Amino acid sequence: MSSASVREILSGRVAAGTAVTVQGWIKTRRDSKAGLSFLAVSDGSCQDNIQVVAPNTLDNYDTEVLKLTSGCAVRCSGKLVASQGKGQGMEIEGAKVEVVGWVDDPETYPIQPKPHTMEFLREVAHLRPRTNTFGAVARIRHTIAQAIHRYFHEREFFWVNTPIVTASDCEGAGQMFRVSTLDMLNLPRTDKGGIDWSKDFFGKEAYLTVSGQLAVEGYCLALSKVYTFGPTFRAENSNTTRHLAEFWMIEPEIAFADLNDDANLAEDFLKYIFNAVLNERGDDMKFIADRVEKSAITRLEKFISAPFERIDYTQAIDILKKAPKKFDYPVEWGNDLQTEHERYLAEEHIGRPVVVMNYPEQIKSFYMRLNDDEKTVAAMDVLAPGIGEIIGGSQREERLDYLDRRIQQFGLNPDSYQWYRDFRRYGTVPHAGFGLGFERLVVYVCGLTNIRDAIPYPRTPGHAEF
Ligand code: 4AD
């Protein structure tokens, strides 16, 4: 008797007639007058359930099988047979149904076999992976993550694990969570080693990172092609459908490269990821298209087939000024683009993904390379129809004197950036990179409307209960 996942069985990898065991959770139970119970069992390996047919001749039929409710954990063994039900593929004729875990109070079990609103499911984020939608989102998220690592690995990028605790504010925007200890971990208060433990564990103010970029630049300037992929944190008090306080970011960094190389990488990378999702998660994407967002598959197909448009920020402002619609936020050269502007450009005006390049220097970060016009920096945002900005990147300022000027202009403490200046002092080269918010990508792929549904346990202002 072999144990098989529901995915293995339903994808035809187990021959009819084989004795199999599946382990999973009951989705539904239906009893027939003929003395059979039909159990829909999910093990989360794929979108579909397997049907287990349990006859009333089982020893525990009355005492246990007839008491099974949604959510109970079971181990079912029997013979795999072609289902008699229409379009159902394979089912298991149950010779044995073992209850591994009961649901102690079926009445109050929040995940009932009926549609739930996303708002309700956010309240029970610890149980929502049991629903079809969140099962699909979790598997798609996994597939995207795997495809990201594969993409970079195949192109000889090295994955660098940058620190989560840091003393540098990468974006210089002051949105960092401070790290402190509750009781100094009972460390003896001592002057040994010159560290004043009573002040702070790290001997200086330390924060949760907002981006691994500055740290990964150091590895880029030694290994040429690198990327980070890890959690990042932002203490921005924006309770929106696009912001999380804790999110994952993918940040490639390439040496001997300019902004155009960066835009090429972003385009090739996004198309690879979307292709991988469509190829590897067909069943979940079909479910998403049927139940969450109708155009989920066609949107990705369109994205893959269209070459990205590239325009300058100045051109973008021109287009927006001439737009036949009124925006809530004013369109002025020097103002950052708002989501409504980004969506208009990508969706309505251009109709495909667009890379906006060369933004005014005063609205972008200190590390971006100043262009010859001294008014703009070599920054880019990739805007996608239906969501707006999905990627933000830039060519980095590799000239020490310019970098120093920017650090000063942004009012940053130069002492905190000595190590970062070293990269410009010792063998500096043009280099570029970008950051992609992992959850924004998941939102886009899964056609979600709220970023809180793209991460297992969302962290937002006022929410960290699980
Ligand atoms: O544009 P950002 O702030 O860029 C950086 O952090 C650079 N250091 C990246 C780089 O060049 N290596 O953030 C990058 C991306 C955004 O495009 C967005 O997708 C995502 O991170 N992001 C967020 N996602 C969820 N919640 C938030 N609060 C986010 N803030 C940014």
Side-chain angles (χ1 to χ4, degrees):
M1 175 98 40
S2 66
S3 180
S5 75
V6 173
R7 187 180 185 82
E8 281 174 291
I9 293 173
L10 295 183
S11 61
R13 279 180 271 165
V14 185
T18 309
V20 290
T21 299
V22 292
Q23 308 180 93
W25 294 268
I26 299 286
K27 286 275 183 172
T28 57
R29 192 197 86 230
R30 185 169 56 81
D31 309 312
S32 79
K33 290 204 182 90
L36 296 172
S37 285
F38 300 91
L39 311 175
V41 178
S42 161
D43 67 358
S45 59
C46 61
Q47 184 56 240
D48 292 320
N49 308 317
I50 187 138
Q51 177 159 279
V52 174
V53 185
N56 61 4
T57 48
L58 293 179
D59 287 351
N60 62 345
Y61 188 77
D62 291 334
T63 51
E64 295 194 326
V65 174
L66 285 182
K67 292 184 178 148
L68 286 171
T69 56
S70 185
C72 289
V74 288
R75 185 177 296 122
C76 304
S77 306
K79 195 163 82 171
L80 194 62
V81 295
S83 171
Q84 287 163 16
K86 233 175 142 191
Q88 284 189 6
M90 295 293 214
E91 65 183 25
I92 295 173
E93 280 183 356
K96 201 170 157 198
V97 175
E98 189 188 332
V99 182
V100 180
W102 289 102
V103 167
D104 64 6
D105 183 4
E107 292 293 301
T108 60
Y109 179 53
I111 311 296
Q112 295 294 331
K114 62 167 193 181
H116 297 290
T117 65
M118 298 298 249
E119 288 75 18
F120 167 76
L121 291 172
R122 252 169 249 146
E123 301 296 316
V124 286
H126 59 305
L127 296 174
R128 68 182 179 172
R130 299 165 183 225
T131 63
N132 293 337
T133 301
F134 283 91
V137 172
R139 286 184 295 269
I140 291 171
R141 187 180 158 108
H142 163 84
T143 299
I144 298 174
Q146 293 294 324
I148 288 168
H149 285 299
R150 204 170 57 237
Y151 175 86
F152 288 125
H153 182 68
E154 285 170 1
R155 283 154 189 79
E156 301 189 333
F157 281 66
F158 297 102
W159 180 27
V160 176
N161 305 124
T162 49
I164 286 171
V165 174
T166 176
S168 319
D169 182 355
C170 172
E171 291 305 303
Q175 294 173 329
M176 303 180 91
F177 288 104
R178 186 166 175 261
V179 177
S180 62
T181 51
L182 282 180
D183 65 352
M184 302 314 299
L185 303 176
N186 296 322
L187 286 165
R189 292 177 182 221
T190 164
D191 285 331
K192 272 188 225 146
I195 295 170
D196 181 359
W197 289 111
S198 67
K199 212 165 167 202
D200 205 341
F201 185 89
F202 296 104
K204 59 170 15 174
E205 296 273 322
Y207 306 90
L208 297 180
T209 186
V210 295
S211 156
Q213 179 202 320
L214 303 192
V216 91
E217 277 186 55
Y219 273 72
C220 171
L221 296 174
L223 305 181
S224 295
K225 292 194 284 184
V226 296
Y227 70 106
T228 69
F229 185 178
T232 49
F233 308 85
R234 297 211 180 165
E236 47 193 339
N237 197 11
S238 36
N239 239 323
T240 77
T241 55
R242 289 167 53 79
H243 292 88
L244 291 165
E246 177 182 298
F247 61 100
W248 286 60
M249 216 193 316
I250 300 107
E251 298 183 272
E253 195 73 26
I254 43 179
F256 303 98
D258 63 15
L259 192 63
N260 274 314
D261 299 319
D262 206 23
N264 291 341
L265 177 66
E267 178 167 353
D268 189 52
F269 168 78
L270 284 173
K271 289 181 174 177
Y272 178 98
I273 302 303
F274 294 163
N275 248 318
V277 173
L278 291 174
N279 290 336
E280 295 164 37
R281 284 263 88 88
D283 61 336
D284 285 318
M285 286 306 294
K286 186 176 174 313
F287 173 85
I288 294 282
D290 288 345
R291 304 282 283 276
V292 180
E293 203 227 346
K294 254 204 255 146
S295 62
I297 293 175
T298 48
R299 199 158 39 87
L300 294 190
E301 288 171 342
K302 224 173 127 194
F303 191 105
I304 293 165
S305 63
F308 289 12
E309 180 76 33
R310 288 181 198 187
I311 59 172
D312 260 20
Y313 166 89
T314 305
Q315 259 175 291
I317 292 294
D318 231 40
I319 295 169
L320 293 168
K321 282 197 161 175
K322 291 185 187 139
K325 69 185 287 185
K326 224 179 135 17
F327 296 110
D328 293 337
Y329 290 87
V331 177
E332 267 323 313
W333 200 97
N335 288 359
D336 210 353
L337 300 182
Q338 302 297 323
T339 306
E340 55 171 350
H341 306 137
E342 296 173 341
R343 291 185 66 156
Y344 173 79
L345 288 168
E347 254 161 71
E348 296 177 48
H349 187 77
I350 293 166
R352 58 199 159 95
V354 51
V355 189
V356 179
M357 303 166 106
N358 301 313
Y359 283 75
E361 54 95 15
Q362 68 271 21
I363 56 169
K364 288 291 182 181
S365 304
F366 74 96
Y367 52 73
M368 296 183 178
R369 191 179 199 277
L370 195 63
N371 287 323
D372 291 345
D373 61 13
E374 304 239 337
K375 286 196 209 127
T376 59
V377 284
M380 64 161 196
D381 279 351
V382 178
L383 315 181
I387 188 167
E389 185 213 313
I390 188 160
I391 278 182
S394 64
Q395 184 174 339
R396 318 308 189 189
E397 183 54 82
E398 85 282 12
R399 300 161 297 185
L400 185 62
D401 48 343
Y402 280 85
L403 181 69
D404 281 345
R405 245 206 278 157
R406 301 272 294 166
I407 288 177
Q408 200 183 22
Q409 189 188 328
F410 276 73
L412 301 171
N413 178 3
D415 289 346
S416 306
Y417 296 94
Q418 289 307 335
W419 64 278
Y420 187 64
R421 292 178 75 252
D422 279 354
F423 303 147
R424 278 74 184 165
R425 293 178 60 205
Y426 308 130
T428 189
V429 298
H431 60 290
F434 65 77
L436 166 64
F438 188 40
E439 286 71 25
R440 296 239 178 121
L441 187 63
V442 174
V443 160
Y444 190 68
V445 171
C446 297
L448 302 170
T449 51
N450 195 320
I451 199 165
R452 294 162 205 224
D453 301 327
I455 189 164
Y457 296 96
R459 299 289 179 255
T460 53
H463 290 279
E465 49 278 81
F466 299 102

